[in-house]
Amino acid sequence: MHNIICKATAIAIIGTSSINAFTPIAQINSPISQAANSFQSLPANYYHQRSTQLYAAADDDAQDNEIERLKRQAAKLRAEAASLEADKAKQLAEAAEKAFNKFDVNSDGEVSLSELKLGLEKELKTEISEKRVQELMKIFDTSGDGALQLDEFVTVDRFRNQLEALAREEKRLAAEAEQEKKRQEQEVLLAEAKLEFLNEKEPTMSDKALSVLPYLFPLMDGLQYGRFLLSSDDAGANPFVVILAVLYSLYRSIPFSGFVAFFALNILSGNPSINRLIRYNMQQAIYLDIALFFPSLLTGLGGLIASGAGLSVPSGVGELFSDVMFGTLLLTLAYCAVSSFLGKEPDSIPLISQAVKDRMPTVDMLEGGTLDNEGRFIPKMPERREDNDKSDEDKK
């Protein structure tokens, strides 16, 4: 690069000089002095700009040459790759044709299902099922005629790879089927454990008999409405009245018998191991006993209103009201007892039966539970409110 700059400078000096061999020395202004004078008249950065231009031109030429060289190499590599691909395709085609000729035993120009099975077993030295050969035929028989022509035939290695892929897929499906089977078996066991946990089986005779006992609770508290009927002169000869009197005496002999009965029934009705019919009747007996409070409340309010208004209520009205209430209670309890003895839930009492149904736990409510080592159902414990609040704070 420095030689180029020097040569350019010399040519510029010689080109601007008008001196020849016959010019007198006195008239001669030396080319060097002329060059020096001319150089002195140039801008200060002239040399730097000129050299930069020369360097840039040289770099551009070198870059162009390098780009052309890379393009030629890329074209050469593509040509070599295409040649290799062509050679490989040719080798595969020759191998496939060779295998086709070996498999086509009867030389009819196609490989049937039996020929494909025989040829693969011979080449791979293993027995192949008819089903697996049919799967291979279905994959490679693009024409769908049930046989492989030469243009559909592939190499033995390709058949081997496809057989291995089919075997892997079959194992995967078998593993998934086994997992699904175990999952379904687990669900069956879990469902049976839930039924055992809730004890929603058909009630036995003892269950039916026990399911009637909770209704003694509303009967004892409802005897107040039957005081007029039970205190009549001929009531003492009635064995039913005598039995009621004995039961009522025993009931009242227990301190806070009403509260004790209420809490006992409420706690026992929450025990899922007790038969559903018994638990249902316990809940319904509680609701019936609560319902008995409202007629007394209405009677007391009615008496206060009448007294405030200066009205007198005939004694027969209160007696009739009490008799009707007691008769309704007896009919309701009789319906519940008969239905329970028949093994059916007495669920036809207006308002009350529906409220009891809504409180009864069902299998669908037992989501998220697990089985212990003995196959017993363990319900999922509800998260405490403190844990939920802490989790919400952590998220924030």
Side-chain angles (χ1 to χ4, degrees):
M1 181 60 70
H2 292 290
N3 293 334
I4 295 172
I5 295 173
C6 293
K7 289 178 181 179
T9 306
I11 292 171
I13 295 171
I14 295 171
T16 57
S17 175
S18 60
I19 299 173
N20 53 45
F22 302 97
T23 304
I25 294 176
Q27 297 178 2
I28 295 175
N29 291 325
S30 121
I32 295 175
S33 64
Q34 290 179 3
N37 293 333
S38 63
F39 288 161
Q40 290 176 358
S41 63
L42 292 174
N45 61 347
Y46 173 79
Y47 305 107
H48 177 70
Q49 293 178 352
R50 186 62 179 168
S51 62
T52 301
Q53 292 174 357
L54 291 172
Y55 275 117
D59 290 341
D60 291 341
D61 293 339
Q63 289 179 0
D64 292 340
N65 293 335
E66 183 66 18
I67 291 172
E68 290 297 328
R69 186 180 67 81
L70 292 175
K71 287 182 177 179
R72 289 193 298 270
Q73 287 182 353
K76 183 179 179 181
L77 290 175
R78 286 195 296 270
E80 291 177 355
S83 177
L84 291 174
E85 289 292 334
D87 292 342
K88 184 178 179 181
K90 182 178 179 181
Q91 292 175 1
L92 291 175
E94 290 176 353
E97 183 176 2
K98 184 178 179 181
F100 179 83
N101 293 329
K102 290 177 64 176
F103 279 47
D104 186 14
V105 179
N106 57 7
S107 301
D108 59 352
E110 61 182 19
V111 176
S112 63
L113 187 66
S114 59
E115 289 175 335
L116 180 62
K117 183 176 186 299
L118 181 64
L120 288 175
E121 290 178 343
K122 184 177 180 181
E123 290 292 330
L124 302 179
K125 295 179 175 57
T126 184
E127 186 177 353
I128 304 174
S129 64
E130 189 78 17
K131 177 183 176 182
R132 190 54 53 85
V133 179
Q134 290 176 356
E135 292 176 348
L136 283 178
M137 181 67 73
K138 184 178 180 181
I139 293 172
F140 295 104
D141 183 19
T142 56
S143 62
D145 58 356
L148 296 178
Q149 283 72 37
L150 180 58
D151 58 339
E152 299 173 330
F153 207 80
V154 295
T155 62
V156 176
D157 290 337
R158 181 81 180 275
F159 280 122
R160 181 189 291 110
N161 293 337
Q162 190 62 48
L163 283 171
E164 292 175 354
L166 291 173
R168 288 193 298 270
E169 180 66 15
E170 189 176 56
K171 289 180 180 179
R172 185 184 68 83
L173 294 176
E176 290 181 355
E178 183 66 21
Q179 291 179 355
E180 180 65 18
K181 179 183 176 182
K182 291 181 179 179
R183 187 186 65 81
Q184 292 181 356
E185 290 177 351
Q186 188 70 12
E187 287 183 354
V188 171
L189 292 176
L190 189 60
E192 292 177 353
K194 287 179 179 180
L195 291 176
E196 186 71 23
F197 178 78
L198 280 179
N199 193 2
E200 295 195 354
K201 301 177 182 179
E202 287 293 325
T204 61
M205 290 302 299
S206 59
D207 292 334
K208 295 176 183 179
L210 290 174
S211 67
V212 179
L213 296 180
Y215 292 110
L216 292 175
F217 176 45
L219 177 61
M220 294 296 100
D221 286 344
L223 288 178
Q224 57 177 323
Y225 294 107
R227 60 185 180 276
F228 299 106
L229 292 174
L230 299 177
S231 62
S232 59
D233 296 335
D234 55 348
N238 191 331
F240 175 73
V241 176
V242 175
I243 294 173
L244 285 180
V246 173
L247 291 175
Y248 187 76
S249 300
L250 293 174
Y251 179 70
R252 287 304 179 186
S253 65
I254 302 173
F256 305 103
S257 56
F259 289 104
V260 172
F262 175 84
F263 287 110
L265 292 177
N266 192 43
I267 293 172
L268 291 175
S269 64
N271 185 354
S273 62
I274 299 176
N275 187 266
R276 176 184 171 86
L277 180 62
I278 301 175
R279 289 184 285 115
Y280 182 91
N281 285 346
M282 287 179 179
Q283 285 288 331
Q284 187 152 263
I286 293 174
Y287 274 80
L288 287 173
D289 190 76
I290 294 174
L292 293 175
F293 170 75
F294 293 100
S296 300
L297 179 63
L298 293 176
T299 303
L301 290 176
L304 290 176
I305 294 173
S307 299
L311 300 175
S312 60
V313 179
S315 59
V317 173
E319 183 178 345
L320 178 62
F321 178 78
S322 296
D323 292 344
V324 170
M325 285 298 306
F326 187 65
T328 304
L329 176 62
L330 291 179
L331 290 175
T332 302
L333 296 180
Y335 158 73
C336 293
V338 172
S339 180
S340 298
F341 276 121
L342 295 177
K344 296 174 62 178
E345 291 181 357
D347 54 1
S348 298
I349 302 175
L351 301 178
I352 294 177
S353 294
Q354 186 59 46
V356 174
K357 282 184 178 180
D358 294 339
R359 284 181 55 85
M360 294 294 293
T362 61
V363 175
D364 297 334
M365 296 179 183
L366 301 177
E367 295 297 332
T370 57
L371 297 176
D372 62 6
N373 296 331
E374 298 180 0
R376 293 175 301 188
F377 179 75
I378 302 176
K380 182 179 179 181
M381 298 299 295
E383 296 183 0
R384 293 182 300 177
R385 183 179 181 84
E386 297 177 357
D387 296 338
N388 293 334
D389 295 341
K390 185 176 180 181
S391 178
D392 294 338
E393 292 177 359
D394 294 339
K395 290 180 180 179
K396 292 179 180 179

